[in-house]
Amino acid sequence: MNESADYIQTVVTAALRGLLPVPAELSDSTNIVRDLGLDSVTVMDFVMETEERLDVSVPLDRISAVETIGDLVATLYDLECES
Amino acid sequence: MSLFDKFKPLSAQYTRLEASGANPFAIAFDRVLSPTEAMIGDSRILLLGTNNYLGLTYDTNIIAKTIETTQAFGTGTTGSRIANGSYDGHKKLERALKDFYGRKYAMVFSTGYQANLGIISTLAGKNDHLLLDADSHASIYDGSRLGHAQVTRFRHNDPNDLHKRLRRLADVPGDKIVVVEGIYSMLGDTAPLREFAQVKREWGAYLIVDEAHSLGVLGETGRGLAEMQNVESEVDFVVGTFSKSLGSVGGFCVSNLDDFDILRVACRPYMFTASLPPGVIAATMEALHQLRMRPELRLRLIENARRLYAGLTGLGFCLGPEPSPVVSAIMPDPETAFALWSDLLKAGLYTNVSLPPATPNGLALLRSSVSAAHTPQQIDHAIALFERTGRALGLVAAFTAAHTSHPIAASPSLSGASLM
C-alpha cells in the first residue's frame, strides 16, 4: 500500500531528528547537507532508515539528486507510487 | 573564482594537518629494511600498517624470479593486452589462479581497484541491479558508478536487509548482482557469507565476493572467506588483489560462469590500460606458489593477529568486532587519531589513520595490520608502544596499564576466535 506524502514527511523528519546532535528547524526547503552539516555517507545511512520504515529502496543516483527535505520526500513518494 | 574553490574545505583541513607536523597522508619511508621495518631519516620504524599479510615482499625466491623475468622480458609491456598482446606470463598466472581456485576462468587486471571497477561496471548492465554492502570499498562504489545499473546499498553484513531489497526487486526485470567483501578493510570484520549465499540463492541473484584482504588469510588453503565458510560453489565471482598477501600489485577475477571470457573485449578497465609488467607477473606467480606451499605463514599471521588484538583489548582499546590481521582501534575523534598516530610514529611504530567517509559509521580509526613476518617480540613491542603513548594521551587507564604486562595471558575472549 502506498503511503501518503504527509506520512513520508513524518518519517523523514523523525529519522532526521534522531540523527541530529542538537534540535534544528526542519522544513521542506531545509538543505540536508548544507543546513544540517551531514556528510554524504551520513545522508546515505539516514536514507536507509527511511527505506526501512517505508519498505522501499532508493537507488544511489536518486539519493545524489536530493538536496532538500522536500526533494527526499518527493523521491520517496515517487518510488512508493512506482512500486 | 578558481577551479579549485570546491576543494577549499578539504584544503583547509589538509593545511591544518600539515601545520601540525604529522601528516599520515604524506609520509615517506627513506629506506625499507624488511617486511616489518623501515627507516625515516635516522629513525628505525616498526611497520604495523602495510597490509603485507604474508610478509613476502623480501622473499629471495620471489625477488630472483622478478629479476630473471625482467631480464628476459623487459621492464614493461608498454600496452594493453587487447591492443598490444599478452605475454606468456599473463596467461600462466591466469592458469595458476584457475588452478588455485578450482575455477574455469580467470582474468588478471593491472590493479585490484581496476578489477572491481571492471568486473562490477561490466557485469551489471543498464537494466540490471547492483546491491552493495553499505561498507563496501571505494573501488566497489566507483565500479557501480562507472556502469549503468541501478545501485542500492544494504545494511552492512545484514542478510535480512539484503533479502528485503531483493524481494522489492522480485518483479522488476534485470539481473540482480550482490557485492560483499571477505574481510572489510577498515574494521577487519568478516561477512556472514553463508547467510548471504542463502539469500542470493533464494532470489536467483549473482554473488561477487571481494577477497582482497582475505586471500592468503582465511580458509584451509588460503582461498579466503568463501573457502572458510564452505560456500565457494555459491560465489559466482571472486575478485582479489595481488597487492596485499601476494606482495606485488595487480588484481584478478575468477569464475565458473560460461562466456566469462567475453569480458576481455567488453571490460574497459581491462582493455584500456597497460598490462602488468613481466617482473610483477613473475613475482605474483611465485608468491602464489609460496602461499600454497607454506601454510605456516597463514598460521603465524593468525597468531600475530590474535596477539595484537588481545594486547590492545587488554589495554582497554575499543577494537573491531573480531580478531583479524586488520586491527583497528576506534578513536573518540579524528584529532585523537592523528595525535596517537603521530606519537606512535615518534616512538618508532608506523600505523594508519582512517577517517570518514572511508570508514563506517563516521568512525575515526587508528588502524594496524599485522604480518606473518612480525615476530612475537615485535608485536609485544608494538603493544608496549600503544600502552605508553595511549597512557600519555589518556586513552589507556593507569589501572589497565598496570595489569597488562602479559596481554596474551589475559585474553580468554579469544578462545573462540573466528579466524580459522
Side-chain angles (χ1 to χ4, degrees), chain A residues 7-20:
Chain A
Y7 178 72
I8 293 171
Q9 174 109 34
T10 308
V11 167
V12 168
T13 308
L16 261 181
R17 288 201 194 287
L19 191 72
L20 296 172

Side-chain angles (χ1 to χ4, degrees), chain A residues 45 51-52 55 57 59-60, chain B residues 151 153-154 164-165 168:
Chain A
D45 289 345
E51 290 175 303
E52 174 84 27
D55 194 25
S57 297
L60 293 189
Chain B
V151 186
R153 59 204 282 273
F154 55 91
K164 286 182 196 166
R165 288 168 191 277
R168 289 174 199 142

Side-chain angles (χ1 to χ4, degrees), chain B residues 53-54 216-217 297-305 325 370-372:
Chain B
Y53 297 130
L54 299 184
V217 174
L297 291 177
R298 200 160 50 256
L299 298 177
R300 212 179 303 151
L301 169 68
I302 288 162
E303 279 308 304
N304 284 340
V370 299
S371 172

Side-chain angles (χ1 to χ4, degrees), chain B residues 133-298:
Chain B
D133 185 285
D135 287 2
S136 289
H137 186 261
S139 58
I140 294 172
Y141 277 105
D142 291 355
S144 77
R145 290 177 69 178
L146 185 64
H148 303 283
Q150 203 166 77
V151 186
T152 54
R153 59 204 282 273
F154 55 91
R155 287 182 192 279
H156 174 54
N157 275 354
D158 189 340
N160 190 40
D161 193 39
L162 175 64
H163 166 82
K164 286 182 196 166
R165 288 168 191 277
L166 285 168
R167 172 178 52 74
R168 289 174 199 142
L169 290 170
D171 298 324
V172 182
D175 287 319
K176 286 85 185 179
I177 303 167
V178 177
V179 189
V180 300
E181 298 180 34
I183 290 179
Y184 284 84
S185 61
M186 290 293 103
L187 286 171
D189 50 333
T190 54
L193 213 44
R194 179 167 285 279
E195 290 81 357
F196 278 135
Q198 196 177 333
V199 174
K200 85 107 197 184
R201 192 169 56 239
E202 182 181 347
W203 293 102
Y206 294 92
L207 180 59
I208 299 175
V209 179
D210 178 354
E211 301 264 24
H213 289 266
S214 36
L215 163 63
V217 174
L218 300 178
E220 198 177 339
T221 66
R223 287 202 295 265
L225 184 69
E227 183 186 29
M228 188 176 112
Q229 297 193 3
N230 197 25
V231 288
E232 286 179 290
S233 62
E234 298 288 348
V235 177
D236 301 288
F237 303 91
V238 174
V239 176
T241 179
F242 306 143
S243 62
K244 294 174 174 58
S245 55
L246 297 179
S248 62
V249 68
F252 69 91
C253 178
V254 295
S255 177
N256 267 337
L257 267 64
D258 287 334
D259 299 329
F260 177 85
D261 273 337
I262 194 63
L263 295 179
R264 290 184 196 276
V265 288
C267 178
R268 297 167 67 86
Y270 173 84
M271 297 165 67
F272 296 99
T273 194
S275 59
L276 284 171
V280 171
I281 292 283
T284 308
M285 282 277 288
E286 178 59 22
L288 181 61
H289 176 70
Q290 301 222 12
L291 182 158
R292 300 183 75 171
M293 295 300 114
R294 299 172 64 193
E296 69 275 13
L297 291 177
R298 200 160 50 256

Side-chain angles (χ1 to χ4, degrees), chain B residues 32-45:
Chain B
V32 180
L33 307 174
S34 74
T36 61
E37 288 187 307
M39 300 292 291
I40 298 178
D42 294 330
S43 302
R44 200 178 185 97
I45 307 293

Side-chain angles (χ1 to χ4, degrees), chain B residues 290-340:
Chain B
Q290 301 222 12
L291 182 158
R292 300 183 75 171
M293 295 300 114
R294 299 172 64 193
E296 69 275 13
L297 291 177
R298 200 160 50 256
L299 298 177
R300 212 179 303 151
L301 169 68
I302 288 162
E303 279 308 304
N304 284 340
R306 287 177 175 164
R307 195 175 189 93
L308 181 65
Y309 191 91
L312 297 190
T313 301
L315 292 176
F317 283 102
C318 180
L319 306 179
E322 54 188 298
S324 117
V326 175
V327 180
S328 286
I330 298 169
M331 297 286 106
D333 48 59
E335 291 71 25
T336 309
F338 285 125
L340 180 57

